[in-house]
Amino acid sequence: MTTTTALPAAALPAAALPAAALPAAALPAATFPATAVSATAHPAVTHRDHLRAAIDVSRSAPLVLNRYAVGALIVDHDGTVLATGYTGETDPAHHAEEVALAKLTPGTDLSRATLYTSLEPCTIRKSRPAPCTDLVLAAGINRVVLALREPILFADCDGVETLRQHGVQIIEMPDLAQHVRDINAHVLRPASTS
């Protein structure tokens, strides 16, 4: 069986992802390999590679002035990408983590899976009843890797602390945060004054 872990995140073939997960345009066509390679051939796929893939997924989110463009990947313990999601993919009010979790078959064991998200999962939600931290905890995910904590713009989020308090391992990669800021320049950069 081939899996997406065989390749660096920048070279994940669209065919290796779930059918509705990622538009092929989200990754540069030049990086698609001719064939998928088994996970044993390239065991060096890292948290960084998967987080970069989540950041790439966020580029598919429609840019809206009152929300962040976020991308998420759920990756099983063996490196298999189980699902991806981006903000607004299925509904304008849906968050990336929510979309990715909704694509999974009910009852999927996620106790050894990792959620890769470009932005800290929310703890306060105006558009839906359950914040993403609650959804992650309910799903049983025990590790979250993120690039950027949510800036205090729309809500004062404490997703990292909430998840840690519930025993979820958090890995932050702030060196990738500028990519997330750039993608979200539409909300993070103040309007120019003329």
Side-chain angles (χ1 to χ4, degrees), residues 43-96:
V45 174
T46 65
H47 289 308
R48 179 171 308 286
D49 294 325
H50 288 301
L51 184 53
R52 285 179 187 224
I55 293 168
D56 284 343
V57 169
S58 76
R59 295 177 194 282
S60 298
L63 300 182
V64 178
L65 291 176
N66 63 350
R67 70 174 188 221
Y68 298 109
V70 179
L73 261 73
I74 300 171
V75 180
D76 207 357
H77 69 282
D78 65 358
T80 303
V81 174
L82 300 174
T84 67
Y86 58 85
T87 307
E89 180 177 353
T90 56
D91 180 277
H94 291 175
H95 289 192

Side-chain angles (χ1 to χ4, degrees), residues 17 26 28 33 60 63-64 67 69 72 80 83 95 97 99-101 105 123 135 143 148-149 175 186 193:
L17 294 172
S60 298
L63 300 182
V64 178
R67 70 174 188 221
T80 303
H95 289 192
E97 301 91 340
V99 171
L101 286 165
T105 303
T123 51
L135 298 174
R143 181 184 303 126
L148 179 65
R149 289 195 185 206
D175 58 305
H186 66 288
T193 55

